[in-house]
């Protein structure tokens, strides 16, 4: 058996106000006059955070549109524009939720790898290290800050650029930046973390490494979404660390049924990752009974709306398309249901599940 030898983020800074150290952190990474490029979630347009970005020389802020999850065409456009405008850049800094961070990772890789980002959707297809890249989450839950993937929707599939070159060189975990996220959004992305934990802890790939991180992240999610009376700074601190630990847990295991199924929804209907996972997980009693029971309590306590009937009226061809996207996620299914997963999760069974959403 070959043990996974996985690449981690090189540097981590954590703490309220640690964003203020960014100038100092980036200084040694600057290569002559080549600029640092800040890809900032469009939510922060004209917000105070944008004014706090430590710009030097030709540094540039690009507000990225995260209305839809990142597409390979958008990544290619951004990388093309930077190559044309600057030739060489010192680094790419992603500031925002999972979408902005994934864009930053992918653009960094496409500054040095030829062709389209769609050519690298898969496992270990990226050949060259990208330029220096840093991630600064403003929304907690996806674990994109620690993962070795950047999830992209391409012309034929929704699949990440999974590689040892994908993790960030630096992350800045400043929980202050995740204050004031609207309740529904905070819940959907927070539940991404909760679902990572359940899928990792109940999976067949589980080992003590994943379990240690998964249990801690799960406990933090339970505190934040079930036990706490009010939302406060401590909740932001805890959820940011839950996201980190949940990401570390799946780094050495895998996610499971909710993720495999929600990829289909997002490919066909553009359903975003966090809410999509909630829509699916809500109906997965058969696979994760205790987790789903607790999830429903969290939904109720936090007064969250989970969209219903989103697949109503879809055609057979559309259901087939979602099933195709989902079935490609073999490691997820194997983690969830074991080596014989194909006998358990048939196309008919998956169709019946999709019809429930
Ligand atoms: P997101 O990045 O798509 O952002 C969701 C919304 O929240 C956006 O409207 C954004 O503008 C807003 N937002 C961000 N920060 C905010 C703040 N501080 N205050 C108010 N609003 C804010 O959401 P997400 O759930 O963080 O990320 C989802 C994306 O991450 C998907 O594209 C998914 O595929 C990807 N993902 C990647 C990984 C990975 O390992 N690379 C893992 C899970 C998910
Ligand atoms: Zn996820």
């Amino acid at each position: 058996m070959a043990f996974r030898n996985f690449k981690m983020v090189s540097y981590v800074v954590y703490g309220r106000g640690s964003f203020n150290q960014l100038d100092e952190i980036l200084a040694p990474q600057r290569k002559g006059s080549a600029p640092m490029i800040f890809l900032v979630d469009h939510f922060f347009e004209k917000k105070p955070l944008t004014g706090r970005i430590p710009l030097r020389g030709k540094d540039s802020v690009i507000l990225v549109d995260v209305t839809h999850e990142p597409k390979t065409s958008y990544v290619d456009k951004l990388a093309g524009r930077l190559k044309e405008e600057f030739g060489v850049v010192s680094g790419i800094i992603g500031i925002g939720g999972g979408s902005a961070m994934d864009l930053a990772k992918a653009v960094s890789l496409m500054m040095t790898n030829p062709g389209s980002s769609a050519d690298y959707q898969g496992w270990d297809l990226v050949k060259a290290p990208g330029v220096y890249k840093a991630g600064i989450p403003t929304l907690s839950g996806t674990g994109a800050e620690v993962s070795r993937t950047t999830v992209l929707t391409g012309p034929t599939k929704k699949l990440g650029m999974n590689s040892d070159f994908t993790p960030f060189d630096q992350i800045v975990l400043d929980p202050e930046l995740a204050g004031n996220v609207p309740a529904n959004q905070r819940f959907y992305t927070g539940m991404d973390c909760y679902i990572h934990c359940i899928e990792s802890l109940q999976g067949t790939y589980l080992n003590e490494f994943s379990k240690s991180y998964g249990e801690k992240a799960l406990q933090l999610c339970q505190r934040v979404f079930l036990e706490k009376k009010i939302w406060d700074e401590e909740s932001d601190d805890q959820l940011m660390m839950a996201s980190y630990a949940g990401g570390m847990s799946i780094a050495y295991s895998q996610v499971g049924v909710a993720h495999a199924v929600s990829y289909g929804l997002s490919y066909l209907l553009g359903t975003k990752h966090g809410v999509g996972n909630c829509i699916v997980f809500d109906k997965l009693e058969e696979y994760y009974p205790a987790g789903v029971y607790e999830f429903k309590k969290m939904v109720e306590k936090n007064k969250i709306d989970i969209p219903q009937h989103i697949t109503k009226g879809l055609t057979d061809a559309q259901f087939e398309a979602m099933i195709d996207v989902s079935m490609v996620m073999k490691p997820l299914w194997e983690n969830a249901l074991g080596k014989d997963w194909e006998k358990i999760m048939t196309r008919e069974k998956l169709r019946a599940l999709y019809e429930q959403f």
Side-chain angles (χ1 to χ4, degrees):
M1 164 177 177
F3 294 94
R4 185 177 301 164
N5 185 10
F6 75 87
K7 171 77 173 64
M8 289 170 58
V9 168
S10 313
Y11 287 91
V12 182
V13 56
Y14 171 83
R16 292 192 158 263
S18 58
F19 184 82
N20 295 333
Q21 245 163 271
L22 192 56
D23 192 29
E24 205 179 299
I25 289 169
L26 298 181
Q29 307 300 337
R30 293 181 178 277
K31 295 181 178 58
S33 63
M36 285 289 175
I37 307 299
F38 299 85
L39 300 186
V40 181
D41 188 314
H42 63 177
F43 169 80
F44 292 103
E45 183 172 18
K46 301 200 177 86
K47 297 273 187 336
L49 181 67
T50 309
R52 290 170 58 202
I53 295 172
L55 299 178
R56 299 198 169 258
K58 291 184 292 177
D59 284 4
S60 166
V61 171
I62 299 179
L63 291 165
V64 287
D65 185 349
V66 298
T67 316
H68 305 289
E69 295 197 339
K71 291 192 171 57
T72 52
S73 54
Y74 192 32
V75 170
D76 295 350
K77 199 175 97 185
L78 286 167
R81 169 178 160 191
L82 293 176
K83 283 189 225 168
E84 203 178 294
E85 204 169 324
F86 302 106
V88 186
V89 303
S90 285
I92 309 283
I93 320 300
I95 304 179
S99 298
M101 287 192 283
D102 273 3
L103 277 171
K105 290 193 211 179
V107 170
S108 153
L109 295 172
M110 293 318 294
M111 293 305 288
T112 52
N113 286 278
S116 161
S117 48
D119 304 337
Y120 304 100
Q121 285 181 281
W123 281 272
D124 301 303
L125 302 173
V126 181
K127 295 288 175 300
V131 299
Y132 174 83
K133 53 183 161 342
I136 309 182
T138 64
L139 182 57
S140 298
T142 64
E145 62 278 21
V146 290
S147 77
R148 80 191 284 280
T149 188
T150 160
V151 184
L152 302 176
T153 304
T156 58
K157 55 193 167 211
K158 179 179 173 186
L159 192 59
M161 294 166 79
N162 292 265
S163 85
D164 279 354
F165 300 122
T166 311
F168 284 118
D169 298 295
Q170 169 84 55
I171 55 175
V172 177
L173 304 179
D174 182 345
E176 221 171 67
L177 308 185
N180 307 315
V181 179
N184 272 348
Q185 183 64 60
R186 190 170 57 205
F187 187 85
Y188 298 148
T189 302
M191 281 303 109
D192 190 19
C193 176
Y194 178 77
I195 296 167
H196 290 161
C197 296
I198 301 294
E199 294 188 328
S200 172
L201 292 168
Q202 310 250 312
T204 61
Y205 290 1
L206 188 66
N207 55 41
E208 204 56 50
F209 184 102
S210 293
K211 196 172 161 201
S212 309
Y213 283 108
E215 284 177 347
K216 184 67 207 180
L218 181 66
Q219 183 201 347
L220 290 168
C221 289
Q222 287 164 335
R223 289 207 53 186
V224 164
F225 291 109
L226 271 184
E227 294 160 24
K228 291 283 291 275
K229 296 261 181 304
I230 48 152
W231 195 273
D232 54 11
E233 287 189 358
E234 189 188 39
S235 308
D236 290 330
D237 294 357
Q238 290 178 330
L239 197 55
M240 195 162 272
M241 284 321 297
S243 177
Y244 177 90
M248 289 297 286
S249 179
I250 49 176
Y252 223 135
S253 60
Q254 224 347 316
V255 286
V257 180
H259 277 75
V261 175
S262 86
Y263 267 50
L265 292 178
S266 117
Y267 182 78
L268 186 78
L269 305 172
T271 315
K272 294 198 98 184
H273 187 78
V275 69
N277 279 348
C278 288
I279 293 168
V280 175
F281 196 70
D282 196 41
K283 310 281 191 249
L284 294 184
E285 285 97 344
E286 185 181 339
Y287 306 94
Y288 305 110
V292 174
Y293 176 76
E294 189 167 67
F295 169 82
K296 287 181 187 291
K297 282 207 294 193
M298 290 174 171
V299 170
E300 198 181 294
K301 173 168 186 293
N302 295 278
K303 303 187 177 66
I304 301 298
D305 313 307
I306 306 292
Q308 308 287 332
H309 312 302
I310 66 164
T311 62
K312 206 170 156 205
L314 292 182
T315 64
D316 284 345
Q318 288 176 312
F319 278 108
E320 290 301 308
M322 291 194 290
I323 294 167
D324 286 342
V325 170
S326 179
M327 284 291 187
V328 173
M329 315 306 293
K330 292 187 175 21
L332 285 66
W333 289 113
E334 188 181 281
N335 175 48
L337 306 173
K339 291 238 177 297
D340 286 335
W341 68 269
E342 276 161 309
K343 294 201 188 99
I344 305 168
M345 186 46 80
T346 58
R347 293 183 74 90
E348 295 69 45
K349 190 143 191 216
L350 193 48
R351 165 82 188 242
L353 192 55
Y354 274 121
E355 282 177 4
Q356 286 185 53
F357 308 137

